[in-house]
Amino acid sequence: MTLRIGLIGCGAAGQAHAAAYREIEGVELRAVADIDAAVAARLAAATSCEAMPLEELLDADLDIIDIATPTSNHADLVQEAARRGKDVFCETPLARTMDQAQAAVNACREAGVRLIPLHLNAFMPPLRRAAAILAGGSLGRAGVVRITRRRPGIPASAGDWRRSLKESGGVILDLLAQDIAFLIGCCGRVQRVYAASTAYREILAGEYALVSLRMENGIIAHLDGNWLPRDHGGDELEIAASNGLIAYSEENTAPLRFTTADGVAGRHVLISPVEEDMYVAGLKEAVDCLSGKPTPLADIEIALHTMEVALAALKSTITGQVFTLAQSRR
């Protein structure tokens, strides 16, 4: 059976989703929609599918609605798809507010459709390999995790919605929320949150943000990211654990490095330049989830907890306070 997909949002994320579907067996991109009809028409021509107005796409004979629009539209579109009995893929974050996210989740539960949050950064090859090493146990117990995301300015977007802190949530919600989801997926729930940011005005010209987390199991995580116009960009990852260290930097030509605690020289974990793209890997897992395969990163609770943590971090940047989150029920 081929799953028929309708894609809403034809910007950078939507284009990446459309390209990924070409590499995934058992799916077919049937239709696309965008607020800019010309943009939708160009993507439809490039992918040999049909461009439709939004309402027509939502009512079309499709199995899955894939939402890759600005954050502030996510929750409403999830609910519209759920009302029509469609399963939903939705980019991270689920919504701009927790009430909106919960309303989207509730709508899908009431309609009996499946909502699959897309935590696609977790499928970047270095993070996939690091998570596998951590899960394998050879690294021992993780103690400190550091993730850096640097981007050369605010990503271009239709209507420049990312420049509006109210719409996008800035670096913390639009960029670092993906890494918060990754941390929750491989290290568990967050207990305490503190954050600082240069986003002191509503219309952003650039931003630097730092988020410090203490997980319920004691792991400390530091996330920093920026949208700074003169930064050349790059990603870094470090995981320090009882038996060794994982380190990755996009600036280095060396692959992921794994150094053991007994002093053995760092072992390189090869990452092929043709390794599966993160969009292909993440969307493939989302499709697998619909077929009943175990896919932990597609968990709704991870998506909701990611929202809780990111929004607490945003509040911390305003108040300067440390926020303690409710503990999970065990």
Side-chain angles (χ1 to χ4, degrees), residues 3-325:
L3 296 172
R4 301 157 299 176
I5 298 173
L7 173 65
I8 304 175
C10 299
Q15 291 168 34
H17 288 208
Y21 286 128
R22 294 178 177 179
E23 308 297 322
I24 301 173
E25 293 184 5
V27 302
E28 180 184 358
L29 182 61
R30 287 283 185 89
V32 297
D34 193 273
I35 193 170
D36 186 330
V39 171
R42 284 196 295 271
L43 184 58
T47 55
S48 302
C49 70
E50 185 176 355
M52 296 180 175
L54 175 61
E55 290 297 321
E56 187 177 330
L57 184 147
L58 286 167
D59 289 331
D61 191 14
L62 301 167
D63 301 298
I64 302 166
I65 301 297
D66 180 351
I67 298 169
T69 62
T71 298
S72 57
N73 298 332
H74 287 182
D76 286 345
L77 290 170
V78 169
Q79 292 174 79
E80 290 296 330
R83 290 189 192 104
R84 291 163 170 83
K86 308 287 201 301
D87 291 327
V88 186
F89 295 166
C90 184
E91 272 279 0
T92 296
L94 272 183
R96 180 59 183 84
T97 71
M98 185 57 78
D99 285 345
Q100 292 169 349
Q102 193 63 64
V105 170
N106 291 345
C108 290
R109 286 173 175 164
E110 290 167 8
V113 301
R114 290 162 291 186
L115 171 59
I116 311 298
L118 300 176
H119 304 130
L120 297 175
N121 271 20
F123 294 90
M124 296 175 71
L127 266 64
R128 290 212 307 268
R129 293 296 184 91
I133 292 171
L134 195 60
S138 59
L139 198 64
R141 185 179 183 278
V144 178
V145 180
R146 182 180 67 83
I147 300 176
T148 296
R149 301 283 183 203
R150 303 197 319 273
R151 298 294 178 263
I154 299 175
S157 54
D160 235 5
W161 61 273
R162 281 192 175 90
R163 290 187 181 275
S164 168
L165 190 61
K166 183 178 180 180
E167 283 194 57
S168 72
V171 163
I172 290 174
L173 197 58
D174 190 71
L175 180 61
L176 296 181
Q178 290 272 2
D179 296 310
I180 292 170
F182 166 76
L183 281 169
I184 294 168
C186 66
C187 299
R189 288 179 60 89
V190 175
Q191 181 184 65
R192 291 204 294 271
V193 182
Y194 173 78
S197 168
T198 60
Y200 57 88
R201 56 178 65 135
E202 167 54 23
I203 304 300
L204 300 173
E207 183 188 358
Y208 171 83
L210 171 67
V211 179
S212 293
L213 307 174
R214 181 182 178 86
M215 317 302 283
E216 287 186 356
N217 57 14
I219 295 172
I220 302 297
H222 302 289
L223 310 178
D224 68 279
N226 72 50
W227 290 335
L228 296 179
R230 292 180 177 82
D231 196 309
H232 61 277
D235 298 333
E236 296 179 3
L237 166 71
E238 286 185 354
I239 302 177
S242 55
N243 293 340
L245 173 73
I246 292 174
Y248 168 80
S249 173
E250 198 171 39
E251 293 186 346
N252 296 334
T253 56
L256 194 75
R257 190 176 71 250
F258 176 26
T259 305
T260 60
D262 58 9
V264 175
R267 176 164 62 86
H268 288 172
V269 180
L270 296 178
I271 297 174
S272 167
V274 294
E275 186 156 350
E276 191 172 48
D277 172 79
M278 73 178 197
Y279 288 97
V280 175
L283 289 168
K284 188 181 290 182
E285 175 161 304
V287 170
D288 286 346
C289 187
L290 293 182
S291 65
K293 295 180 182 177
T295 51
L297 279 173
D299 193 293
I300 290 294
E301 294 309 315
I302 290 179
L304 290 174
H305 190 43
T306 295
M307 285 286 303
E308 180 185 18
V309 173
L311 293 173
L314 282 171
K315 191 173 180 181
S316 180
T317 67
I318 297 168
T319 65
Q321 293 178 285
V322 174
F323 289 94
T324 300
L325 306 182

